[in-house]
Amino acid sequence: MAAAVDRTVIRQAAQNLRTGQRLLVLAGAGLSADAGVPTFRDAAGYWRHHDPERLASAAGFAADPELVWEWYRERREQVAGCQPHQGQRSLALLQRHLPYPGRVLMATTNEDDLLERAGCQNVVHLHGELFITRCAGDGCVWQRSDGADSGLSFLPCPRCGGRVRPGSIWFGEPVPPLALGRIERFRADACLVVGSSALVQPVAAIPPELALAGAPVVEINPIETPLSRLATVWLRGGAVELLPHLVDELTSATIRHQSREIDMGDAPTDSGL
Ligand code: NAD
Ligand code: ZN
């Protein structure tokens, strides 16, 4: 039987996050694990004994593009068959229920589209997007959203005739400067990290930097990571189990405040996170 959720620690995490004005939510593969998308660690055992770190690389693609595409087509089909869970939906609720837009920035190293399907807005994809097919050629910028059938993956690039590749950012490739720039410009002063191994740079450096600058950092992960000791509060457990409770704590004061104002005939105003 799962251990009971410790509401005291969740309340403490919410109190800390509420002291900030701009909350950065950073989600890793563990967030989607609860929706049935395996993390790479799980996938390594499951996908025909190939190491995902070698498949998700330019060298792997150069060596055997068809094998890499086969893996990506399977992952697309698998993700298309998954539904966002309550934890992901609660993050969309968090974005919607804050007094004005742009207060919560959702960023993820996940390539899947589950946060968008849960209703989250303006998600920053730091490691690319699974359903994008783009030209593999240097200097050609053609890209399109592909379907779960990966129809575009079987065709040459319509602009230059070259080979196409998945829109993921592979191991050894830089994180898109535009995505990192959006995080920098947001100037977060609070951070919630969910389901990340806290190992993949440069994204892994963001929460420790915020913590060292004095911002509250809350981590949700069933397993200790390099971030856990630096975090203000480490909520030990799974995303689907803990996120709805944390979001409930974060939004309930705001919702109560807004409904009081609506009762009194006023428009909702800023009441803090
Ligand atoms: P990771 O696989 O390295 O680590 C996942 C983390 O999630 C671990 O620390 C694990 O303890 C934790 N976790 C497992 N189950 C959890 C749960 N139910 N709730 C909360 N946490 C849970 O993933 P990463 O740190 O995001 O980075 C690895 C790379 O893998 C990234 O570049 C990412 O692009 C890629 N990846 C993406 C997907 C996806 O798009 N869904 C899936 C697999 C891998
Ligand atoms: Zn091209």
Side-chain angles (χ1 to χ4, degrees):
M1 209 174 81
V5 174
D6 186 341
R7 293 302 291 241
T8 314
V9 189
I10 290 176
R11 204 162 299 134
Q12 189 196 339
Q15 271 163 7
N16 276 285
L17 290 179
R18 250 193 243 120
T19 62
Q21 299 296 308
R22 293 173 304 279
L23 174 65
L24 172 67
V25 179
L26 203 51
L31 177 68
S32 295
D34 277 338
V37 182
T39 64
F40 274 176
R41 213 169 313 195
D42 298 331
Y46 127 101
W47 210 80
R48 299 181 200 169
H49 314 296
H50 291 288
D51 177 359
E53 288 205 20
R54 289 182 65 185
L55 286 172
S57 72
F61 188 68
D64 194 342
E66 201 35 49
L67 178 74
V68 171
W69 261 122
E70 217 183 307
W71 185 57
Y72 273 89
R73 287 179 197 124
E74 260 184 46
R75 291 182 57 215
R76 285 176 174 184
E77 278 180 33
Q78 185 189 36
V79 167
C82 293
Q83 298 306 322
H85 58 67
Q86 203 46 45
Q88 289 162 323
R89 291 188 197 285
S90 67
L91 287 175
L93 199 78
L94 180 65
Q95 259 187 331
R96 259 201 312 279
H97 275 289
L98 290 178
Y100 54 84
R103 189 83 179 259
V104 178
L105 183 65
M106 218 59 79
T108 182
T109 51
N110 293 347
E111 309 155 288
D112 65 62
D113 59 350
L114 289 168
L115 281 172
E116 284 89 347
R117 282 199 270 140
C120 292
Q121 309 281 325
N122 303 318
V123 180
V124 181
H125 281 274
L126 291 152
H127 288 178
E129 293 180 62
L130 186 62
F131 289 97
I132 295 282
T133 294
R134 68 175 169 95
C135 183
D138 284 340
C140 179
V141 293
W142 180 86
Q143 67 169 47
R144 286 282 180 284
S145 236
D146 210 342
D149 65 354
S150 293
L152 295 171
S153 75
F154 298 96
L155 305 170
C157 167
R159 189 169 293 174
C160 73
R163 195 187 288 285
V164 294
R165 57 164 277 182
S168 305
I169 304 300
W170 284 333
F171 291 97
E173 292 181 332
V175 169
L178 277 176
L180 278 179
R182 282 181 64 193
I183 292 188
E184 273 161 28
R185 281 194 305 280
F186 182 66
R187 293 186 299 112
D189 58 5
C191 185
L192 169 63
V193 184
V194 190
S196 170
S197 59
L199 289 172
V200 185
Q201 297 294 352
V203 178
I206 297 171
E209 274 169 20
L210 285 169
L212 292 174
V217 174
V218 171
E219 181 188 42
I220 294 182
N221 201 311
I223 289 170
E224 184 170 354
T225 73
L227 177 65
S228 308
R229 282 161 204 264
L230 283 172
T232 322
V233 179
W234 167 30
L235 296 174
R236 187 178 197 151
V240 75
E241 171 199 6
L242 296 174
L243 264 177
H245 294 291
L246 179 63
V247 170
D248 193 40
E249 288 288 344
L250 280 169
T251 55
S252 54
T254 308
I255 291 170
R256 272 199 305 275
H257 183 78
Q258 285 177 347
S259 37
R260 253 201 324 272
E261 286 182 328
I262 287 163
D263 285 348
M264 290 160 63
D266 293 336
T269 53
D270 183 6
S271 58
L273 267 181

